[in-house]
């Protein structure tokens, strides 16, 4: 009889990207984030755009009740290997494109706290008329994204708010970036590589079959689990 069993489990990881090595600033910002969102005990993957003392950063995150699991290869890679800490391959770079149009409005009530935290009361909706092609990325850090066409595999749509896609979804769709658990995803045909809301994600193999290639509404339920609701037209 084998002494090892391989079983599957959906585990949620949150990626933290650091643009500063000031640990006081990191602690202050994470304390605010943790107070406003249910991230205590979260498994985190670390990335950095600046030189960083990895061991001290790991200790800081552990003290905040986060669980560092690995680093993205790059600035932190050599330090991680030196202490035998897991290293994940860096992302294939995507071409960030500009939307066809943007509309700026006052932040809705549900988004005002986040807007004030970022120093802006603006809420932006990005509209894009063309299909998102492989290797392209459309990002809206302060609002929603509405695409009139679909997205190809190997493309990515990222928004702090909601995402509406009036076409086939074959790439990655990431809504609620920054912890907005009220964000939602709507699409006309769900064939995605990955969908995520506020850090909770589901990969292609785990998307429920009853919504595959159908119009779908995706949201987080009260237990912060992804719900997939087939839409009828």
């Amino acid at each position: 009889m084998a002494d090892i069993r391989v079983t599957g489990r959906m585990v949620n990881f949150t990626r933290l990207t650091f643009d500063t090595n000031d640990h006081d600033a990191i602690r202050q910002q994470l304390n605010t984030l943790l107070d406003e969102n249910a991230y205590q005990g979260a498994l985190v993957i670390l990335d950095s755009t600046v030189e960083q003392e990895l061991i001290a950063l790991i200790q800081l995150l552990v003290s905040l009740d986060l669980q560092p699991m690995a680093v993205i290869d790059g600035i932190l890679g050599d330090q991680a290997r030196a202490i035998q800490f897991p290293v994940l391959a860096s992302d294939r770079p995507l071409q960030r494109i500009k939307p066809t149009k943007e509309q700026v409005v006052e932040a809705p009530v549900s988004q005002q706290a986040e807007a004030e935290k970022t120093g802006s009361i603006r809420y932006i909706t990005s509209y894009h008329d063309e299909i998102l092609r492989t290797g392209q990325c459309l990002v809206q850090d302060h609002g929603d994204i509405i695409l009139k066409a679909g997205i190809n595999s190997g493309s990515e749509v990222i928004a702090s708010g909601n995402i509406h896609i009036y076409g086939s979804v074959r790439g990655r769709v990431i809504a609620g970036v920054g912890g907005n658990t009220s964000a939602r995803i709507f699409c006309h045909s769900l064939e995605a590589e990955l969908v995520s809301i506020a850090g909770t994600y589901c990969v292609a193999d785990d998307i429920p079959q009853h919504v595959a290639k159908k119009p779908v509404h995706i949201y987080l339920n009260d237990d912060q689990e992804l719900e997939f609701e087939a839409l009828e037209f």
Side-chain angles (χ1 to χ4, degrees), residues 10-213:
M10 176 60 83
V11 179
N12 294 328
F13 292 91
T14 298
R15 178 167 173 169
L16 296 177
T17 301
F18 300 95
D19 296 321
T20 178
N21 53 18
D22 182 340
H23 285 193
D24 289 336
I26 291 172
R27 179 182 292 276
Q28 181 179 3
Q29 292 180 46
L30 282 176
N31 273 327
T32 300
L33 183 66
L34 295 172
D35 284 344
E36 296 178 355
N37 301 279
Y39 283 135
Q40 277 78 10
L43 307 177
V44 293
I45 306 297
L46 314 182
D47 194 8
S48 184
T49 62
V50 297
E51 293 292 337
Q52 196 87 235
E53 186 180 347
L54 179 58
I55 292 178
L57 180 61
I58 291 173
Q59 291 172 337
L60 169 60
L61 297 176
V62 170
S63 74
L64 294 172
D65 197 22
L66 295 171
Q67 301 182 55
M69 300 300 294
V71 304
I72 301 296
D73 202 1
I75 289 177
L76 300 176
D78 289 342
Q79 291 185 70
R81 293 184 185 93
I83 61 173
Q84 299 185 337
F85 193 69
V87 179
L88 303 180
S90 58
D91 299 331
R92 183 176 63 181
L94 296 177
Q95 175 193 7
R96 183 166 174 170
I97 65 171
K98 293 183 178 180
T100 304
K101 178 184 176 182
E102 289 187 340
Q103 181 180 11
V104 181
V105 297
E106 184 177 347
V109 173
S110 62
Q111 299 294 327
Q112 296 236 343
E114 178 66 22
E116 290 172 3
K117 186 174 70 176
T118 59
S120 171
I121 61 170
R122 299 191 311 162
Y123 196 84
I124 304 173
T125 299
S126 293
Y127 301 90
H128 196 61
D129 296 337
E130 300 177 357
I131 192 168
L132 207 63
R133 305 193 181 280
T134 299
Q136 293 183 327
C137 179
L138 187 62
V139 180
Q140 179 46 260
D141 296 318
H142 302 290
D144 301 341
I145 291 179
I146 299 175
L147 286 93
K148 291 184 178 179
I151 70 171
N152 285 344
S153 60
S155 65
E156 195 167 76
V157 182
I158 303 173
S160 65
N162 307 305
I163 296 177
H164 303 253
I165 302 176
Y166 296 98
S168 296
V169 174
R170 299 188 177 95
R172 297 179 294 275
V173 185
I174 303 168
V177 173
N180 178 7
T181 56
S182 64
R184 295 171 182 254
I185 296 170
F186 301 85
C187 69
H188 269 204
S189 180
L190 182 61
E191 307 168 48
E193 298 169 338
L194 175 145
V195 294
S196 172
I197 298 177
T200 298
Y201 71 92
C202 183
V203 296
D205 291 343
D206 296 307
I207 291 174
Q209 284 300 304
H210 75 279
V211 295
K213 298 184 179 181

Side-chain angles (χ1 to χ4, degrees), residues 210-211 214-217 228-232:
H210 75 279
V211 295
K214 293 182 178 179
V216 181
H217 167 209
F228 296 79
E229 177 187 334
L231 297 174
E232 301 294 338

